[in-house]
C-alpha cells in the first residue's frame, strides 16, 4: 500500500506508480499538457493500479467524444478486475462506482459519490475537480460553492496545492454569484502561483459579470505570459479577453484574438469549438461580417454532428451547421439528439428538455423562421442552465432568445426580457438598442427614445 502526495492510500506496491500518479494529479490541477504522460508512466509502473485505471476512465469522459466514452467503460472493467484480485480501499471502491455511474450517463450519481468521498477525504483533489466539472454541467454554481465550502476548512495553507484549491473555490463562488469572495479567492491563488490559470479565469469571470472590461483586459494581459506551456484551456481564457473587447465594440481586436489565439487552428476539443462558435454568433449580432469563418467551424461540427454526448457542446455544433447551411448534417444531428433524448442519464434528459429544442430553434433562426424559433425558445427562457456551462457562456442563448422574440414581432415578450437584461447589463449598448426596438414595437416611442439614448 502506497500513498499519493496528499497522504491518501493507493492500492499499489509500486512507489514509482504512486509518485507518477501524484504528478498526474498535480498536472491535472495545473492544466498542464503532460497529464496523460504522467498517467501513462503510472500505468507503466503498475498496469493494474486501481486508481490509475479509474482515472484513465475519468479522463476519457472529459473529452466528451463517443469513441472515448466506450474506452472509459473498458477502463472501469479493468479497474474492477484489478480490485477483485488485489482489493481496494473504500475510497477507491467509491471512485470505481462513480466511474461506473458516469459510464451509464448517471452524472448525478457520480457526483454524489465524489461528494461522499470528499466528506471522508477532503484532500482528494480528483474527487474535487471532477465533482465541480459535473456540478458545472448539472445544476451549476450553488452546488459548486457548497461543495467548496465543505472542504475549504480542511486545507491548511502549508498543504501542497492549497493555492489550486483556492482557485477552485474562486470559480465556485463566481458561478454562485458571490463575486467578492470569488475575486478574493482567485487573487489569493494567483498570488501563490501566477500560472494558476483556473484561478486567473475565475477572476476573469468576475470582471465579465460585473462589466469591468478594462480591469479584465489588464488582468489577463498581465498574466498571459504564464500560459505558453499550458493546455487548451488557455484558449478559453483568450476567449474571455475577446469578450471584454466585444463589449467595448472593438471588433477588430476580437477577430484578431479569434484568428490568432483561440481559433488559430481547427480544434477537435469541444471547449475550443464552443469558444469559437459562440463568439461568431455574438459578433453577428453586433453587425460584424465574420467572413468564411462559419464554414471552417461547420467542417469540424460535421465530424461531431452525431456525437450527442454533451448537450452544451451539441448546441454549439448546431450553430455552425445551421449558419453554414449544412442541412444534411443538421438533420442527422437532430436525429441523433432525438435518439439520445429517448435514453437514460442526465445528458439525455438535458437534451430532451432543452438541448434538442434549442438546436431546432437555432436551425429555424438560420432559416429565417423567427416565429418558430421564438415559439420554441420563449418557454425555455428560465431553463437554459440545464445545458450547463458558465453564466458567461450561456449568455449567447439569452441573446438568442431576445433576438428571436424581436424578429418574431413578439414585442411584449422581448420588452420583458430586455428590461431584465438592461437592468443586469446596464453598460451593454446592444441590450439598450434591442430594448428600444422592443419598446418601439410595443408602441412606446418615448421610452424607446430613452433606451436609444442609453445605448
Ligand atoms: Fe469561462
Amino acid at each position: 500500500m502506497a500513498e499519493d502526495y496528499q497522504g491518501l492510500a493507493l492500492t499499489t506496491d509500486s512507489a514509482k506508480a504512486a509518485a507518477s500518479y501524484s504528478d498526474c494529479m498535480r498536472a491535472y490541477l495545473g492544466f498542464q499538457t503532460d497529464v496523460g504522460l504522467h498517467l501513462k508512466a503510472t500505468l507503466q509502473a503498475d498496469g493494474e493500479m486501481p486508481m490509475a485505471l479509474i482515472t484513465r476512465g475519468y479522463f476519457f469522459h472529459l473529452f466528451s467524444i463517443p469513441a472515448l466514452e466506450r474506452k472509459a467503460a473498458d477502463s472501469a472493467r479493468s479497474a474492477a478486475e484489478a480490485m477483485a484480485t488485489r482489493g481496494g480501499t473504500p475510497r477507491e471502491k467509491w471512485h470505481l462506482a462513480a466511474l461506473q455511474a458516469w459510464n451509464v450517463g448517471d452524472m448525478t450519481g457520480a457526483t454524489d459519490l465524489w461528494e461522499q468521498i470528499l466528506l471522508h477525504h477532503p484532500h482528494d483533489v480528483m474527487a474535487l475537480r471532477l465533482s465541480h466539472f459535473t456540478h458545472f454541467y448539472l445544476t451549476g454554481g450553488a452546488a459548486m460553492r457548497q461543495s467548496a465550502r465543505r472542504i475549504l476548512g480542511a486545507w491548511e495553507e502549508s498543504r501542497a496545492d492549497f493555492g489550486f484549491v483556492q482557485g477552485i473555490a474562486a470559480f465556485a463562488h463566481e458561478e454562485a454569484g458571490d463575486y467578492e469572495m470569488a475575486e478574493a479567492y482567485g487573487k489569493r491563488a494567483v498570488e501563490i502561483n501566477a500560472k494558476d490559470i483556473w484561478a486567473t479565469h475565475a477572476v476573469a469571470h468576475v470582471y465579465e459579470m460585473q462589466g469591468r472590461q478594462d480591469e479584465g483586459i489588464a488582468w489577463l494581459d498581465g498574466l498571459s505570459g504564464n500560459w505558453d506551456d499550458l493546455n487548451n484551456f488557455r484558449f478559453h481564457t483568450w476567449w474571455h479577453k475577446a469578450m471584454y473587447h466585444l463589449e467595448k465594440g472593438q471588433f477588430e481586436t476580437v477577430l484578431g484574438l479569434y484568428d490568432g489565439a483561440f481559433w488559430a487552428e481547427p480544434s477537435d476539443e469541444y471547449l475550443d469549438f464552443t469558444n469559437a462558435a459562440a463568439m461568431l454568433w455574438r459578433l453577428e449580432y453586433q453587425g460584424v461580417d465574420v467572413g468564411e469563418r462559419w464554414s471552417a467551424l461547420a467542417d469540424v461540427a460535421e465530424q461531431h454532428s452525431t456525437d450527442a454526448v454533451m448537450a452544451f457542446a451539441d448546441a454549439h455544433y448546431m450553430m455552425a451547421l445551421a449558419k453554414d447551411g449544412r442541412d444534411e448534417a443538421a438533420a442527422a444531428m437532430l436525429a441523433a439528439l432525438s435518439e439520445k433524448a429517448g435514453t437514460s442519464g442526465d445528458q439525455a434528459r438535458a437534451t430532451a428538455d432543452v438541448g434538442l429544442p434549442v438546436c431546432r430553434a437555432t436551425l429555424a433562426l438560420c432559416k429565417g423562421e423567427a416565429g418558430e424559433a421564438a415559439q420554441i425558445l420563449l418557454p425555455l427562457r428560465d431553463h437554459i442552465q440545464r445545458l450547463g456551462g458558465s453564466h458567461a457562456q450561456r449568455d449567447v442563448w439569452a441573446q438568442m432568445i431576445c433576438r428571436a422574440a424581436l424578429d418574431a414581432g413578439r414585442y411584449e415578450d422581448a420588452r420583458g426580457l430586455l428590461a431584465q437584461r438592461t437592468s443586469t447589463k446596464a453598460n451593454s449598448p446592444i441590450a439598450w438598442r434591442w430594448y428600444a426596438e422592443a419598446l418601439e414595437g410595443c408602441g412606446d416611442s418615448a421610452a424607446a427614445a430613452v433606451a436609444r439614448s442609453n445605448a
Side-chain angles (χ1 to χ4, degrees), residues 201 205 236 240 390:
H201 163 258
H205 267 269
H236 178 68
H240 274 279
S390 67

Side-chain angles (χ1 to χ4, degrees), residues 187 250 392 412:
K187 288 191 169 169
Q250 296 163 343
E412 284 76 13

Side-chain angles (χ1 to χ4, degrees), residues 136 171 201 205 233 236-237 239-240 390 392-393:
F136 185 66
F171 187 64
H201 163 258
H205 267 269
F233 191 70
H236 178 68
T237 314
W239 174 83
H240 274 279
S390 67
Q393 288 172 312

Side-chain angles (χ1 to χ4, degrees), residues 304-323:
H304 295 281
S305 53
T306 57
D307 279 5
V309 176
M310 293 282 275
F312 180 79
D314 296 331
H316 285 89
Y317 293 135
M318 182 55 94
M319 287 180 193
L321 297 178
K323 283 280 186 184

